[in-house]
Amino acid sequence: MLEQSLVIIKPDGVKKGIIGEIITTFEKRGLTIKEMKMTTLETDVVKEHYAHLSDKPFFQDVIDFMISGPVVCLILEGPSGISVIRQMVGATNPLEAAPGTIRANFAFESGSNVIHASDSVEAANDEIKRFFA
Ligand code: IDP
Ligand code: MG
């Protein structure tokens, strides 16, 4: 089943100069880029996107981080796209991410873990509307 995922290359990924490398990783796997844009996110959009973390002590840090610089938003599509892309991204904590995943390759900290990817088809539908309205 073809599935779409909303992927965000976070401000740390953009600052590190690895936009191309991350996109190449997805392209080489065979995923299709349906949409792509560079933008700086607004606080309200990030608050909505990370509403499931609103009771966490690090919530404000996550918001501040996500608006700290430009990001690249993509809609990627492929067979079983949600789980394939989440596997390629790796665990939230890069220290626990499997070797070879994007977070294991490019990050050390949960707070700056380079990339977001939707965790379900339902979330992807909401997130695609949120970031590509
Ligand atoms: P995910 O990005 O792997 O789906 P979520 O639990 O949805 O992980 O959390 C969203 C984002 O919030 C993470 O990517 C990470 O940047 C940040 N985050 C999650 N847990 C922590 C934490 O324990 N400390 C700092 N930041 C965190
Ligand atoms: Mg998540």
Side-chain angles (χ1 to χ4, degrees), residues 23-31 88:
I23 292 172
T24 297
T25 303
F26 289 124
E27 285 186 305
K28 283 183 172 171
R29 180 72 188 256
L31 295 156
M88 293 175 75

Side-chain angles (χ1 to χ4, degrees), residues 52 86 116 119:
H52 60 291
R86 291 282 292 191
H116 164 82
D119 64 8

Side-chain angles (χ1 to χ4, degrees), residues 10 50 52-53 58 62 86 92 103 110-111 113 115-117:
K10 297 182 180 184
Y50 284 133
H52 60 291
L53 302 174
F58 54 82
V62 172
R86 291 282 292 191
T92 305
R103 284 170 172 166
S110 299
N113 59 6
I115 188 162
H116 164 82

Side-chain angles (χ1 to χ4, degrees), residues 2-55:
L2 278 183
E3 292 172 357
Q4 293 191 345
S5 176
L6 186 281
V7 167
I8 304 172
I9 302 174
K10 297 182 180 184
D12 57 328
V14 174
K15 287 195 183 96
K16 279 181 177 164
I18 54 172
I19 297 170
E21 209 165 334
I22 291 171
I23 292 172
T24 297
T25 303
F26 289 124
E27 285 186 305
K28 283 183 172 171
R29 180 72 188 256
L31 295 156
T32 304
I33 300 169
K34 305 296 285 186
E35 300 276 356
M36 177 163 73
K37 68 175 175 191
M38 181 176 251
T39 182
T40 302
L41 298 175
E42 303 285 349
T43 302
D44 287 353
V45 171
V46 178
K47 276 190 178 159
E48 198 180 284
H49 179 61
Y50 284 133
H52 60 291
L53 302 174
S54 60
D55 59 346

Side-chain angles (χ1 to χ4, degrees), residues 70-92:
V71 300
V72 176
C73 302
L74 305 100
I75 302 173
L76 294 179
E77 184 180 270
S80 300
I82 295 292
S83 63
V84 163
I85 292 165
R86 291 282 292 191
Q87 277 172 13
M88 293 175 75
V89 163
T92 305

